[in-house]
Amino acid sequence: MASKVVFKKTSKDKSVGVYMAKRDFVDRVDSVEPVDGVILVSPEVLQGKKVFVTLSCIFRYGRDDQDVLGIAFRREIYMNTRQVYPPLQDKEQGILTKKQAKMLRKLGDNAYPFFFEFPDNLPCSVGLQPGPRDVGKVCAVEFEVKAFSAESQDAKVRKRNTVRLAIRKVQYAPETGGPAPSVVTNHEFVMSDKPLHIEASLGKETYYHGEDINVDVNISNHSHKIVKNVIVSVEQVSNVVLYCNDSYMETVALEDSGHTVAPGEGLERTYILLPLLAHNRQKKGIALDGKLKHEDTNLASTSIIKEGVLKEVMGIMVSYKVVIKLVIGGMMGTSEVGVELPFRLMHPKPDIVKESEEEDMVFEEFKRKNNKGMMDDEEDDNVSGEGGEAE
């Protein structure tokens, strides 16, 4: 019988534990999957304290205990807090997901469900890759579920009474794409009667992570200039739009062909590019899909936002384009002529897996000490193989 992993994390004082059936939540542009889970409390340890759960979206640069240029920048884009215990309504009155119902049956009378709806104007999880020596410095949009025990919602909260679990808001490629990108242009030179003609196209608008990108290029050189080289690249553009207007453009795939096109000649070629994080791990400023501490990630997916939503609240906007650059030779040195083809780089929508009523649950516990190679951070979410089966 198949087993379903349920993520579990407990506060140091054992007063509260968080159980979630998944940590990735899909943004479909017009709607976002709700965040749900179960809180297990220990009334004996709580000693009359209440338990709250918070869903938050945070933009930050640098860890909370570090200053960047003398300033630690952290802004809460969104925060919503609910009281879970004592419950404000009877558990039987709430609408539960199938997974919540199964967890409640397994965990017993001291388990209580929680549920959050995402607003439709929040960014997706994304971060800029730090340089090899930038240990701990992060520019990222992050999401977090936090459970804590306290006398009241506004009371000071101790770390030992708190559970933090990182989650991700992700987007998949839309069901239908737009037209395949293409461009046709003529470039004229001084003292030349005829132009340099360039045609370029892609096979489709949306490519998946790990998929080859075929770039069809057709050059007809009617000018008196010589094309000394054809360089084709994939450029990732990241705009940090929340607190400034910083823009980063990084080459994530490159074909330096060395092809030449003499006057009166032509060139028709298909160049194959493969943008992968594996080829760009040393590049500072590359945008990555938000990652959970113990997991690897990939180049950031293209940002798609709902019509009417202000871009300024999106944190970090990511886009991609293929750039075809022609190096032109001349008596005064070289110059460049280029064209661009914007496209989307995303994950395919996964197949929907129907949940079985008989499916087992495995509670997989997160422990900080088992995450080798990571910083010892109170907020790190690390995984161990320890767990127990549920009916």
Side-chain angles (χ1 to χ4, degrees):
M1 184 182 295
S3 297
K4 176 66 179 178
V5 171
V6 172
F7 300 102
K8 167 192 175 183
K9 194 172 181 184
T10 306
S11 63
K12 284 187 175 181
D13 70 350
K14 308 300 181 184
S15 65
V16 59
V18 179
Y19 294 74
M20 297 183 69
K22 60 181 180 179
R23 299 178 74 182
D24 283 352
F25 298 87
V26 179
D27 180 347
R28 297 187 175 90
V29 181
D30 58 342
S31 66
V32 187
E33 288 182 329
V35 177
D36 61 80
V38 168
I39 300 296
L40 182 64
V41 304
S42 174
E44 296 80 8
V45 178
L46 287 173
Q47 296 182 342
K49 291 182 180 178
K50 298 177 181 179
V51 175
F52 303 89
V53 181
T54 296
L55 171 65
S56 59
C57 174
I58 301 162
F59 178 89
R60 67 172 180 168
Y61 185 88
R63 293 169 56 189
D64 291 344
D65 58 349
Q66 291 179 326
D67 283 351
V68 181
L69 300 177
I71 302 173
F73 189 92
R74 174 188 172 103
R75 175 177 170 182
E76 290 174 349
I77 301 175
Y78 172 80
M79 176 174 286
N80 192 356
T81 302
R82 304 268 172 81
Q83 180 177 319
V84 176
Y85 176 84
L88 299 180
Q89 66 174 14
D90 191 281
K91 277 190 280 188
E92 302 302 323
Q93 294 178 356
I95 299 175
L96 304 177
T97 65
K98 290 181 179 179
K99 293 185 179 69
Q100 279 181 315
K102 290 170 71 173
M103 283 190 278
L104 290 173
R105 289 196 298 269
K106 171 63 181 179
L107 296 172
D109 292 340
N110 290 327
Y112 299 88
F114 66 88
F115 184 92
F116 290 99
E117 292 276 9
F118 270 115
D120 61 3
N121 63 343
L122 292 182
C124 286
S125 302
V126 62
L128 300 185
Q129 180 168 262
R133 297 183 181 181
D134 294 336
V135 178
K137 293 185 180 180
V138 203
C139 179
V141 174
E142 300 172 331
F143 289 85
E144 178 184 81
V145 171
K146 179 177 76 173
F148 61 94
S149 59
E151 286 78 9
S152 68
Q153 179 177 327
D154 300 322
K156 185 176 180 180
V157 181
R158 296 168 56 88
K159 285 186 176 180
R160 63 179 291 103
N161 308 130
T162 304
V163 180
R164 297 177 181 271
L165 197 60
I167 64 172
R168 291 187 293 198
K169 181 169 172 282
V170 299
Q171 281 182 325
Y172 297 125
E175 297 282 353
T176 57
S182 64
V183 62
V184 178
T185 186
N186 289 313
H187 190 86
E188 299 190 6
F189 301 96
V190 178
M191 306 294 291
S192 182
D193 294 335
K194 294 183 180 180
L196 173 67
H197 180 77
I198 308 170
E199 296 181 14
S201 63
L202 304 180
K204 54 185 179 179
E205 181 194 38
T206 301
Y207 288 84
Y208 300 143
H209 293 287
E211 182 180 7
D212 287 337
I213 299 174
N214 294 339
V215 186
D216 296 323
V217 178
N218 190 343
I219 301 170
S220 298
N221 189 5
H222 303 298
S223 74
H224 69 282
K225 299 282 189 178
I226 182 172
V227 177
K228 301 184 70 173
N229 195 7
V230 179
I231 303 172
V232 185
S233 63
V234 172
E235 305 291 333
Q236 181 197 73
V237 181
S238 304
N239 291 303
V240 182
V241 296
L242 182 64
Y243 72 101
C244 62
N245 205 20
D246 288 350
S247 183
Y248 303 86
M249 187 166 73
E250 298 288 345
T251 300
V252 293
L254 177 69
E255 176 64 33
D256 190 344
S257 72
H259 292 149
T260 61
V261 187
E265 295 186 357
L267 174 72
E268 188 171 355
R269 299 281 300 217
T270 297
Y271 298 95
I272 301 176
L273 299 173
L274 180 58
L276 286 175
L277 175 57
H279 303 157
N280 295 279
R281 290 194 180 276
Q282 300 303 312
K283 289 188 178 180
K284 182 177 181 178
I286 295 286
L288 311 178
D289 274 344
K291 80 178 200 176
L292 305 176
K293 303 288 184 179
H294 62 289
E295 296 178 1
D296 207 348
T297 184
N298 49 265
L299 294 174
S301 298
T302 299
S303 303
I304 302 177
I305 65 173
K306 185 176 181 180
E307 186 176 353
V309 172
L310 293 176
K311 290 185 178 180
E312 286 72 15
V313 300
M314 290 293 103
I316 303 173
M317 298 284 294
V318 179
S319 61
Y320 290 88
K321 59 185 177 181
V322 168
V323 177
I324 300 99
K325 183 167 62 178
L326 278 55
V327 180
I328 310 298
M331 295 181 63
M332 303 299 292
T334 60
S335 58
E336 294 179 353
V337 173
V339 295
E340 300 180 352
L341 297 167
F343 71 97
R344 290 175 175 174
L345 183 64
M346 305 190 76
H347 286 291
K349 184 179 179 180
D351 294 332
I352 297 176
V353 179
K354 292 184 178 180
E355 183 181 357
S356 169
E357 289 292 338
E358 292 78 26
E359 189 176 50
D360 281 353
M361 281 185 171
V362 175
F363 292 162
E364 194 169 87
E365 189 162 4
F366 286 75
K367 292 186 176 180
R368 299 178 184 87
K369 64 181 181 182
N370 289 333
N371 196 8
K372 297 178 181 178
M374 286 290 181
M375 297 169 294
D376 184 16
D377 189 332
E378 281 291 334
E379 294 183 14
D380 281 352
D381 295 315
N382 309 323
V383 66
S384 76
E386 180 181 334
E389 292 191 0
E391 296 176 355

